[in-house]
Amino acid sequence: MPHPAFRTITPGTLKGAEWHQLLLGAVAPRPIAFVSTISAEGEVNLSPFSFFNVFSSNPPTLIFSPANRVRDNTQKHTLYNVREVAECVINICDYALVEQMSLASTEYERGVNEFGKAGLTELASELIRPPRVAECPVSFECVVEQIIAIGDSNGGGNLVICRVVQAHYREDILAPDGLSVDPHKLDAVARLAGDWYSRVTPESLFIVPKPNRNKGIGIDQLPEFIRHSNLLTGNNLGRLGNIEQQAIPSAEAVEAFRQEPLVAYTLNKYRDDAAEQQKQLVLLAKQILEEGRLEDAWKTLLLAAPTV
């Protein structure tokens, strides 16, 4: 299969706004830090930033970047505030608040409190001066450890490195053990480019078993007829390769699987056409694999193996 065409771009060859949109369009979706800060005079500011993520759990470290405005290279009020008072609350916004969060990104004059503009409630923090957003499902009280400017021109970033000193999780988003966030309940949102956002709905959630729980054989060790199949996707091959050698079904288990109704039906229906039988078994294995039944998919594929 021929490779698709690519457009190759060297940073600096496009206008800043054009490159900004292309970069943010690809690095997506991005989590959003809804950051509350306070100035030396006690003026509260609230603003969202999608240049944001978690970078360490011990010490618990979050980093967001209030980048210089691409339009005119001015800096955000949030950046002024954390330079004056090295504290902030990084609030996590859910879908129920996304319009209010977006409104808070309006470029009001310094000193305007976006809590009021966005209709949100200030909730006193326990260990730092800036308030939390009461409506947010998660809030991290942070001290600012360091601010690193990584560019002084339009779009230049300012990494605000934050250490979490207190965290607040709304009870209804936690799993029953209280030690993890239930993604079905968080209703998380994220940013793409331009006006686009994404929402984590139950329909968009899926599980990929972590390879660090075992030592998968890898795609390079799959039988050749599987590895080069034009019926299986890269995702299918990745899941098949994430199996330990000792977990590959034995010849006895594969033989016994012939009696499974769909397998037996396929073997019988195409018994006089070896090529079509193999194709149909591979398609059945693909269906079984996408149902999450890795071992049964392997059995089906091994039944489809060409005989020497």
Side-chain angles (χ1 to χ4, degrees), residues 7 9-27 69-71 154-155 193-194:
R7 180 184 179 189
I9 302 170
T10 302
T13 60
L14 294 178
K15 294 179 180 178
E18 295 171 339
W19 172 243
H20 181 82
Q21 288 302 310
L22 280 167
L23 182 63
L24 271 62
V27 185
R69 293 184 178 89
V70 174
R71 180 185 67 253
N154 303 54

Side-chain angles (χ1 to χ4, degrees), residues 141-200:
E141 298 183 25
C142 302
V143 295
V144 175
E145 300 278 13
Q146 193 176 3
I147 301 172
I148 302 175
I150 54 175
D152 57 6
S153 58
N154 303 54
N158 300 280
L159 304 186
V160 182
I161 302 174
C162 306
R163 176 170 53 87
V164 179
V165 294
Q166 193 82 293
H168 309 272
Y169 292 82
R170 202 172 64 208
E171 292 281 358
D172 66 317
I173 67 164
L174 296 175
D177 63 6
L179 298 176
S180 60
V181 174
D182 186 336
H184 294 87
K185 297 176 180 177
L186 179 58
D187 204 5
V189 292
R191 281 286 279 126
L192 292 89
D195 293 338
W196 289 99
Y197 285 75
S198 64
R199 179 184 185 185
V200 181

Side-chain angles (χ1 to χ4, degrees), residues 22 50 75 114 129 168 191 200 237 266 269 302:
L22 280 167
S50 70
Q75 295 187 329
E114 287 84 359
R129 290 179 58 189
H168 309 272
R191 281 286 279 126
V200 181
L237 297 179
T266 303
K269 182 176 181 180
L302 291 175

Side-chain angles (χ1 to χ4, degrees), residues 55-76:
F55 290 85
S56 169
S57 61
N58 186 21
T61 303
L62 307 175
I63 301 177
F64 73 96
S65 176
N68 301 343
R69 293 184 178 89
V70 174
R71 180 185 67 253
D72 57 9
N73 201 31
T74 56
Q75 295 187 329
K76 310 288 180 66

Side-chain angles (χ1 to χ4, degrees), residues 24-240:
L24 271 62
V27 185
R30 300 181 304 281
I32 304 166
F34 199 17
V35 182
S36 44
T37 57
I38 195 166
S39 70
E41 290 75 31
E43 298 168 333
V44 170
N45 181 270
L46 179 65
S47 187
F49 299 92
S50 70
F51 289 3
F52 162 65
N53 220 307
V54 56
F55 290 85
S56 169
S57 61
N58 186 21
T61 303
L62 307 175
I63 301 177
F64 73 96
S65 176
N68 301 343
R69 293 184 178 89
V70 174
R71 180 185 67 253
D72 57 9
N73 201 31
T74 56
Q75 295 187 329
K76 310 288 180 66
H77 300 151
T78 298
L79 184 58
Y80 294 146
N81 283 359
V82 294
R83 285 172 177 159
E84 294 178 4
V85 178
E87 299 174 345
C88 66
V89 180
I90 295 179
N91 304 278
I92 303 299
C93 182
D94 59 10
Y95 180 74
L97 298 174
V98 70
E99 294 282 358
Q100 290 170 279
M101 178 192 68
S102 177
L103 180 58
S105 69
T106 304
E107 294 181 9
Y108 297 111
E109 295 77 14
R110 192 173 188 199
V112 172
N113 186 338
E114 287 84 359
F115 274 89
K117 290 293 186 182
L120 296 169
T121 308
E122 293 186 31
L123 187 61
S125 295
E126 295 180 3
L127 300 180
I128 62 172
R129 290 179 58 189
R132 297 150 49 194
V133 178
E135 291 82 359
C136 283
V138 183
S139 296
F140 299 104
E141 298 183 25
C142 302
V143 295
V144 175
E145 300 278 13
Q146 193 176 3
I147 301 172
I148 302 175
I150 54 175
D152 57 6
S153 58
N154 303 54
N158 300 280
L159 304 186
V160 182
I161 302 174
C162 306
R163 176 170 53 87
V164 179
V165 294
Q166 193 82 293
H168 309 272
Y169 292 82
R170 202 172 64 208
E171 292 281 358
D172 66 317
I173 67 164
L174 296 175
D177 63 6
L179 298 176
S180 60
V181 174
D182 186 336
H184 294 87
K185 297 176 180 177
L186 179 58
D187 204 5
V189 292
R191 281 286 279 126
L192 292 89
D195 293 338
W196 289 99
Y197 285 75
S198 64
R199 179 184 185 185
V200 181
T201 63
E203 296 76 23
S204 67
L205 291 166
F206 59 94
I207 292 174
V208 178
K210 288 187 178 181
N212 60 8
R213 293 175 183 156
N214 54 42
K215 189 175 183 179
I217 62 171
I219 291 175
D220 62 332
Q221 296 302 305
L222 297 176
E224 186 174 357
F225 85 97
I226 298 176
R227 193 167 67 248
H228 296 301
S229 171
N230 60 5
L231 301 174
L232 298 172
T233 68
N235 279 339
N236 296 150
L237 297 179
R239 180 63 65 89
L240 290 166

